[in-house]
Amino acid sequence: MTPEELSKTIKKSLESLISAKKIAVKDIPEIKIERPKSKDHGDYASNIALMVAKPAGVNPREVAQLLVDELSKNQAFKKVEIAGPGFLNFTLESARLGEIVRTIIKEAINYGHTNTLQGQNINVEFISANPTGPLHLGHTRWAAVGDALARVLVASGAKVAREFYINDRGTQIDKFGISICAAANNEAIPEDGYHGAYIKDLATEIVKEKPEILKLSKDKQVIEFREEGYKKQLKQQQSVLDDFRTHFDVWYSERSLHSSGAVEKGLAVLKKHGHVFELEGATWLKTTDFGDDKDRVLIKADGEYTYFASDTAYYVDKRSRGFDVNIYLLGADHHGYVNRLRAVSACAGDDPDKNVEVLIGQLVKMLKNGQEVRLSKRAGNIITLEDLVDEVGVDAARYTLTRYPVETSLTLDIDLLTSHTNDNPVFYVQYAHARISAVLRAAVEKGIDWQKNTFNPALLITSQEAELLGALSEFPRIVAASASLREPHRVARYLEELATAYHSFYSACRVLPMDGELVTDVTNARLLLCAATRQVVRNGLDLLGVSAPEKM
RNA sequence: GCCCCCGUAGCUCAGUGGAUAGAGCGUUGCCCUCCGAAGGCAUGUGCGCGUGUUCGACUCACGCCGGGGGCACCA
């Protein structure tokens, strides 16, 4: 019996109590099942009696007693008890608890998938860096988290597009061109330009491929260097992300919004809803109508569209492509954007509470040699995605970055990560997977056909086995919660718990027969439990984009 | 001044209103003559402060205190 089935069973009992007029409740709340922290409280617990007691006007323990009377008829329970103020504690017959193994083996890679978000069309935009330099550590966090988020959303039945918005227009990219041009001509790079060493590399590379650029006028050179540099830098970002196993469905260029007429179209939509006005030669959007602290300029007095104009157009464009929910992953330095984005949505006639979701992530800090490393692309003193990967590898980098809720600031101590890589939780989880794989390999070598032999779940009776089975049954709810709360870190935390449960089980319960012993039904039951655990570990790691090695 | 995030164990951090608040690292001590010791078992200390909502608050609301970040016709 899975938690979902238990929930349904309780609901049925409650309904029959209501129709028998033993209790008066109008609306049955969602019946939550949790796994008690203490083993004394059984396999599962529910607080439903406490929830309905008040509206029914009865003592919670009385409600609990009525439910116990009803539920005790069910053969699946070994015990149903009332505890504390009115909790229901369920202890399942071990055969029923163990059935989850069969379910997992049968559903395989689909175990954990639900349809809780079915019918939703979600756009997840993340990273969206300027193509003017390498991706830094902040971007890396979004790469890991954004991708993992997209994966849990898909696993929960949503239709998802991962999108990267390329800021290829405006002053930043112009400065980028000026900087490369200066480097190519051995001139000093302007103070507000880009100073990273990669600028010089780009300059050298471009000059080598197209030496004739240097013969052009300075104005034309700047443009050429900008365009060539842009192409190369974008390609570099794309290839780095590819290696990082973060793949985008759409790379959306800001320039294309302008060339396709999307900007004018967006403006028209906003005008239609009556929130655009002119003042002192500029065109404004009245975002203060919807909670922004000041109105925003769409077209400057000199006729240039602002970056904000692109943003509004991009939003309107996303909506016209059918996305109901638009998730933005932004750094804390962009939090001033939230009200603006929500206001844009409202100005376009949408409901920001429904159509816009902004996840603000705190910045990643990094310590090296005990000192904080400042992340600044402009200063050139940056830790890039590649640096991190070179130090700790893709798996450890992705796992470490997805392990924490995004709203907490993160301090990575590089010295610690590099010198103690074995202490990284990702290895703990991966090790469980490798360990199980080794056991299953050994079983095959011994000629045990555990997949064909009969499985008797009633034989999984030790406390470690019960614990492991309980953890396995939680996975689908963890994935669904990660998706609906937009918190993929829950998957990582869950995997650590699952790995702990497995390692405990492994130490306490011998799986394969010792020399001279025979293969028993217990052997088979445990082997299947191992196989099921491996499947769940694998499914979970996959949601995080982390590999599940069979050997380490 | 206004806005956002965070204050939980010595350190880094979990904890969608529920029972005795948890991991890892660090400390100390056990467990491999047989499935992977990158493991297991044991070992003390803690929710910044104060009101309120609730049967019940680390969790929600308000106010303090402390730390971080942000407030452009920049992108």
Side-chain angles (χ1 to χ4, degrees):
Chain A
M1 174 174 280
T2 65
E4 286 68 32
E5 289 162 354
L6 176 56
S7 178
K8 277 179 202 155
T9 306
I10 297 173
K11 192 174 180 197
K12 248 185 215 162
S13 299
L14 200 52
E15 281 165 352
S16 68
L17 283 173
I18 292 168
S19 60
K21 308 254 182 226
K22 287 184 181 166
I23 183 172
V25 184
K26 275 186 197 152
D27 303 303
I28 299 177
E30 184 200 350
I31 299 175
K32 285 185 190 166
I33 305 299
E34 58 181 30
R35 276 175 36 77
K37 288 166 198 157
S38 162
K39 285 168 198 156
D40 302 336
H41 297 144
D43 298 312
Y44 297 109
S46 174
N47 64 350
I48 186 64
L50 294 160
M51 302 286 286
V52 299
K54 195 165 195 182
V58 226
N59 184 308
R61 286 191 68 105
E62 280 176 40
V63 181
Q65 189 57 54
L66 288 169
L67 280 167
V68 168
D69 294 343
E70 196 69 23
L71 289 160
S72 296
K73 298 170 193 161
N74 195 317
Q75 300 278 312
F77 304 118
K78 193 193 270 174
K79 275 191 301 195
V80 185
E81 294 172 313
I82 305 171
F87 290 103
L88 290 176
N89 291 337
F90 300 90
T91 306
L92 299 186
E93 287 294 344
S94 38
R96 291 308 185 95
L97 190 61
E99 287 193 343
I100 191 71
V101 168
R102 242 196 281 268
T103 307
I104 295 167
I105 300 290
K106 193 174 133 224
E107 295 186 11
I109 58 168
N110 292 316
Y111 180 68
H113 288 223
T114 63
N115 56 9
T116 48
L117 298 183
Q118 201 156 46
Q120 289 197 30
N121 199 0
I122 305 178
N123 184 291
V124 185
E125 184 198 326
F126 56 108
I127 306 181
S128 297
N130 291 332
T132 55
L135 298 175
H136 60 59
L137 203 53
H139 296 133
T140 312
R141 185 179 200 175
W142 301 131
V145 173
D147 186 52
L149 175 61
R151 291 179 196 227
V152 296
L153 292 173
V154 168
S156 300
K159 209 177 144 208
V160 176
R162 298 164 170 83
E163 206 148 315
F164 186 119
Y165 180 58
I166 309 165
N167 293 133
D168 54 6
R169 192 173 172 281
T171 57
Q172 290 309 317
I173 192 141
D174 288 341
K175 284 177 186 169
F176 177 62
I178 291 166
S179 301
I180 301 175
C181 183
N185 289 284
N186 287 315
E187 290 164 7
I189 293 170
E191 211 169 303
D192 64 347
Y194 290 87
H195 296 270
Y198 66 94
I199 292 290
K200 182 76 193 165
D201 296 343
L202 282 173
T204 310
E205 211 179 307
I206 293 167
V207 170
K208 196 175 161 197
E209 285 170 20
K210 303 194 168 175
E212 67 277 9
I213 290 182
L214 291 174
K215 291 178 192 144
L216 299 169
S217 72
K218 265 290 156 58
D219 288 354
K220 284 186 178 162
Q221 275 195 37
V222 166
I223 292 172
E224 281 302 306
F225 278 116
R226 186 188 70 197
E227 292 311 300
E228 290 302 313
Y230 165 32
K231 271 190 265 176
K232 286 182 185 300
Q233 198 55 57
L234 180 63
K235 211 181 219 173
Q236 193 269 349
Q237 289 182 358
Q238 289 173 328
S239 109
V240 164
L241 285 170
D242 207 45
D243 293 342
F244 200 61
R245 305 179 201 137
T246 297
H247 310 291
F248 286 88
D249 301 302
V250 178
W251 291 80
Y252 207 109
S253 145
E254 184 184 357
R255 286 179 184 177
S256 75
L257 281 170
H258 289 263
S259 57
S260 72
V263 172
E264 288 78 6
K265 215 165 97 190
L267 198 58
V269 169
L270 296 172
K271 275 185 182 159
K272 197 179 85 189
H273 288 90
H275 303 288
V276 179
F277 67 96
E278 309 280 328
L279 181 70
E280 292 168 3
T283 303
W284 299 66
L285 185 64
K286 199 152 180 50
T287 51
T288 50
D289 284 347
F290 300 101
D292 198 2
D293 22 326
K294 59 198 294 186
D295 292 325
R296 307 290 168 177
V297 173
L298 290 163
I299 306 173
K300 294 189 266 185
D302 63 9
E304 274 286 305
Y305 283 105
T306 61
Y307 180 86
F308 179 65
S310 303
D311 275 358
T312 59
Y314 189 28
Y315 173 78
V316 171
D317 183 74
K318 280 181 183 171
R319 292 288 289 131
S320 74
R321 284 186 282 140
F323 296 107
D324 316 312
V325 179
N326 296 283
I327 301 179
Y328 297 79
L329 291 169
L330 300 178
D333 53 337
H334 283 70
H335 99 264
Y337 256 40
V338 179
N339 283 337
R340 230 173 295 179
L341 278 171
R342 291 174 52 84
V344 166
S345 172
C347 287
D350 287 341
D351 177 1
D353 289 333
K354 239 180 73 188
N355 303 115
V356 174
E357 278 181 43
V358 185
L359 303 184
I360 292 296
Q362 296 301 308
L363 300 180
V364 181
K365 274 193 242 167
M366 173 165 277
L367 293 177
K368 189 149 191 166
N369 303 322
Q371 293 213 321
E372 185 181 340
V373 181
R374 209 50 204 153
L375 306 177
S376 168
K377 188 184 290 184
R378 287 169 184 79
N381 174 26
I382 63 165
I383 304 289
T384 66
L385 188 156
E386 290 164 289
D387 290 334
L388 182 65
V389 169
D390 286 347
E391 304 257 30
V392 304
V394 173
D395 282 342
R398 285 191 67 122
Y399 191 92
T400 306
L401 291 167
T402 39
R403 201 175 164 250
Y404 304 95
V406 290
E407 67 268 16
T408 57
S409 58
L410 192 56
T411 306
L412 298 179
D413 188 331
I414 275 294
D415 302 321
L416 202 89
L417 271 175
T418 51
S419 64
H420 297 91
T421 49
N422 289 353
D423 296 333
N424 193 306
V426 68
F427 291 107
Y428 183 76
V429 175
Q430 286 184 317
Y431 179 64
H433 187 271
R435 203 180 208 186
I436 299 169
S437 299
V439 173
L440 296 179
R441 276 195 302 272
V444 170
E445 278 165 26
K446 281 177 183 275
I448 304 172
D449 197 348
W450 45 274
Q451 301 189 71
K452 289 246 173 68
N453 293 345
T454 50
F455 171 64
N456 182 357
L459 297 173
L460 302 171
I461 51 172
T462 67
S463 63
Q464 288 84 1
E465 286 162 329
E467 194 64 27
L468 182 53
L469 289 167
L472 291 173
S473 72
E474 287 242 285
F475 186 57
R477 289 188 308 147
I478 297 290
V479 177
S482 297
S484 65
L485 297 169
R486 324 296 193 218
E487 293 182 351
H489 76 274
R490 286 167 187 277
V491 173
R493 298 293 171 162
Y494 164 79
L495 286 174
E496 288 163 34
E497 273 176 39
L498 180 62
T500 298
Y502 182 78
H503 288 313
S504 257
F505 154 78
Y506 183 86
S507 306
C509 305
R510 175 83 199 184
V511 178
L512 295 172
M514 307 270 255
D515 283 346
E517 286 184 355
L518 294 173
V519 174
T520 64
D521 287 347
V522 173
T523 310
N524 273 302
R526 288 181 175 170
L527 278 169
L528 269 158
L529 177 57
C530 287
T533 306
R534 181 169 72 163
Q535 185 70 60
V536 175
V537 172
R538 190 180 286 174
N539 292 1
L541 285 174
D542 190 57
L543 288 173
L544 302 177
V546 175
S547 71
E550 306 214 339
K551 288 180 185 172
M552 292 173 72

